[in-house]
């Protein structure tokens, strides 16, 4: 009989539960099986829970004729339990960081470092198209190119943030936003990714980082990690405030880190000519694009899914102490309490939660 494990499983809209599942096995020679030590919950997982991704069941139905639920999660660290015969760089017992992006490394898109869109059934698949990391064990495809050896000096809560939140903020927010020394920056939304934008933006020495949110607790944390100006959009007009804070000029770079119309709107009305608007938020609905005002401004507007091509660099920066990410790990739970962890993360503002770390114990 196959061994079983506990896992957090998505069954359908508003239906997630802890279930006993079979421990995953090696399916491809490039796979590894990881025994999880820490995982976390992403805004994307909440979106799946709320029913934003019906394609999860649809694709399974189409491919296998049935949907048996999907183990959630695309973030975390663990210990290599087993490796496929083609895995060269990892062995049983290695402590690793699991990237949210699985990449073959050889397809047309991987050769362009567009790993998010790996054409060999890679990209963002864990906790989405295949079972994910919110379980005692996970199968990670393309282990050699998708895992990172966890440095012993790295804080393990910070290591968990290297799976997704930190590279997403850095690549899709800060790098796409082309932040340069002296720039003025507005970051709209101070959740875990927005907060990681505040931190990684400082690697490029902007002169001003304006952070907009409706939650005074999140704004206070933004200030602690380096924001120069705070705007509470619950009780002030964010567009007018940002223009006032920049002598009426607007910012060089606006980062949208929420994924709803009001925050998109702030961004598109505060970028100055020649500037960048980097959308990071995951949008569930269309937004209005004020092209009649924007066409003349020589803007660059970017979107994207993380490629995780800067994960290694960010890992070294975290080890050096230049990214105090540990402040973001506000709550800790045992894996047996993962349902509670979901509820706390769902009500993040009331709970003063940023990232909830879920620990599997020794
Ligand atoms: Zn995520
Ligand atoms: Zn590929």
């Amino acid at each position: 009989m196959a061994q079983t494990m506990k896992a957090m499983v998505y069954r359908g809209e508003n239906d997630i539960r802890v279930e006993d599942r079979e421990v995953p096995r090696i399916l491809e020679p490039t796979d590894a099986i990881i025994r999880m030590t820490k995982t976390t919950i992403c805004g994307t997982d909440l979106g799946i829970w709320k029913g934003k991704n019906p394609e999860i069941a649809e694709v399974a139905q189409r491919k296998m004729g049935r949907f048996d639920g999907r183990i959630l999660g695309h973030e975390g660290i663990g210990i290599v339990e087993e490796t496929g015969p083609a895995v060269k760089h990892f062995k049983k017992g290695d402590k690793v960081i699991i990237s949210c992006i699985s990449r073959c490394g050889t397809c047309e898109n991987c050769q362009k470092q567009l790993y998010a869109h790996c054409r060999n059934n890679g990209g963002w698949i864990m906790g989405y198209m295949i079972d994910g990391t919110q379980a005692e064990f996970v199968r990670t495809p393309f282990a050699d190119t998708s895992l990172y050896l966890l440095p012993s000096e790295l804080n393990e809560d910070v290591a968990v943030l290297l799976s997704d939140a930190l590279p997403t903020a850095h690549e899709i927010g800060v790098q796409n936003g082309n932040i340069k020394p002296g720039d003025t920056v507005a970051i709209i939304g101070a959740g875990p990714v927005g907060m990681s934008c505040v931190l990684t933006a400082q690697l490029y020495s902007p002169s001003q980082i304006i952070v907009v949110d409706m939650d005074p607790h999140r704004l206070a944390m933004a200030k602690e990690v380096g924001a120069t100006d705070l705007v509470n959009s619950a009780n002030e007009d964010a567009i007018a405030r940002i223009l006032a804070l920049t002598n009426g000029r607007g910012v060089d770079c606006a980062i949208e880190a929420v994924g709803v119309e009001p925050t998109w709107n702030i961004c598109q009305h505060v970028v100055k000519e020649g500037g960048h608007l980097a959308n990071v938020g995951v949008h569930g609905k269309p937004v209005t694009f004020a092209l009649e005002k924007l066409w003349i401004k020589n803007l660059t507007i970017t979107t994207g899914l993380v490629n995780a091509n800067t994960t290694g660099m960010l890992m070294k920066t975290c080890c050096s102490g230049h990214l105090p990410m540990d402040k973001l790990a506000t709550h800790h739970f045992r894996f047996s309490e993962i349902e509670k962890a979901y509820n706390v993360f769902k009500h993040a503002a009331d709970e003063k939660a940023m990232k909830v770390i879920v620990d599997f114990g020794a």
Side-chain angles (χ1 to χ4, degrees):
M1 208 181 75
Q3 269 186 301
T4 62
M5 63 172 186
K6 297 282 180 204
M8 188 54 153
V9 178
Y10 161 80
R11 287 263 160 204
E13 190 174 336
N14 294 317
D15 184 4
I16 58 172
R17 33 183 140 136
V18 174
E19 291 183 356
D20 287 316
R21 304 275 289 204
E22 266 184 36
V23 171
R25 287 172 294 111
I26 299 278
L27 299 179
E28 300 288 337
T30 46
D31 287 348
I33 305 294
I34 312 298
R35 179 158 57 82
M36 296 300 298
T37 52
K38 281 176 195 272
T39 185
T40 182
I41 304 168
C42 179
T44 315
D45 300 322
L46 292 186
I48 294 173
W49 183 14
K50 288 178 193 156
K52 265 192 185 177
N53 305 82
E55 70 275 17
I56 293 174
E58 287 160 15
V59 170
Q61 278 288 353
R62 200 168 60 234
K63 282 190 177 162
M64 340 256 267
R66 66 197 155 86
F67 176 57
D68 277 339
R70 172 79 68 248
I71 300 174
L72 290 166
H74 50 266
E75 297 163 275
I77 59 171
I79 297 166
V80 176
E81 181 75 14
E82 191 187 345
T83 54
V87 176
K88 292 190 190 79
H89 302 299
F90 296 95
K91 58 181 189 310
K92 185 177 164 78
D94 283 344
K95 277 191 166 184
V96 291
I97 300 172
I98 300 167
S99 175
C100 67
I101 298 296
S102 306
R103 51 197 182 200
C104 76
T106 58
C107 73
E108 180 194 340
N109 283 341
C110 282
Q111 288 192 326
K112 291 192 283 197
Q113 286 210 336
L114 194 57
Y115 305 122
H117 300 281
C118 169
R119 310 249 324 137
N120 278 327
N121 294 321
W124 173 42
I125 52 170
M126 263 188 293
Y128 182 50
M129 288 299 147
I130 65 169
D131 283 338
T133 55
Q134 290 169 14
E136 290 173 279
F137 294 88
V138 65
R139 178 181 72 91
T140 58
F142 309 120
D144 272 340
T145 38
S146 311
L147 298 174
Y148 293 83
L149 208 52
L150 174 61
S152 58
E153 69 271 31
L154 183 60
N155 175 315
E156 292 197 350
D157 290 347
V158 172
V160 172
L161 304 178
L162 280 160
S163 291
D164 176 7
L166 194 51
T168 293
H170 177 243
E171 294 169 23
I172 307 304
V174 171
Q175 285 194 323
N176 280 357
N178 193 35
I179 297 175
K180 299 181 299 303
D183 274 1
T184 52
V185 179
I187 296 167
I188 320 301
V193 173
M195 206 69 76
S196 302
C197 287
V198 177
L199 280 159
T200 51
Q202 293 167 72
L203 300 173
Y204 301 86
S205 300
S207 61
Q208 196 174 17
I209 302 176
I210 305 165
V211 175
V212 180
D213 202 284
M214 299 198 295
D215 177 352
H217 182 260
R218 290 190 161 189
L219 287 170
M221 186 186 279
K223 182 99 191 175
E224 241 181 86
V225 299
T228 57
D229 302 274
L230 306 175
V231 179
N232 187 328
S233 54
N235 43 40
E236 47 192 333
D237 178 345
I239 297 172
R241 265 285 276 154
I242 293 169
L243 293 176
L245 286 166
T246 52
N247 300 317
R249 294 278 287 121
V251 292
D252 294 294
C253 167
I255 296 176
E256 202 287 344
V258 183
V260 294
E261 176 121 42
T263 47
W264 164 262
N265 246 331
I266 296 169
C267 289
Q268 68 174 342
H269 290 111
V270 299
V271 185
K272 73 179 180 199
E273 62 281 1
H276 284 69
L277 194 173
N279 184 84
V280 188
V282 179
H283 290 261
K285 294 192 183 123
V287 296
T288 307
F289 202 142
L291 202 51
E292 78 284 3
K293 295 208 173 83
L294 300 179
W295 72 271
I296 200 170
K297 292 178 83 175
N298 301 46
L299 302 185
T300 305
I301 297 175
T302 55
T303 68
L305 175 65
V306 65
N307 287 308
N309 58 305
T310 67
T311 305
M313 170 206 127
L314 292 166
M315 190 169 73
K316 288 180 203 161
T317 313
C318 286
C319 287
S320 74
H322 284 96
L323 283 172
M325 291 292 291
D326 49 305
K327 286 196 171 72
L328 270 61
T330 53
H331 289 62
H332 290 80
F333 294 93
R334 308 281 298 179
F335 183 63
S336 56
E337 307 171 306
I338 190 166
E339 281 157 327
K340 193 168 151 202
Y342 261 90
N343 278 312
V344 165
F345 192 56
K346 192 181 188 183
H347 304 105
D350 298 336
E351 302 283 349
K352 298 183 168 49
M354 187 57 60
K355 258 320 206 186
V356 300
I357 304 291
V358 178
D359 213 307
F360 289 79

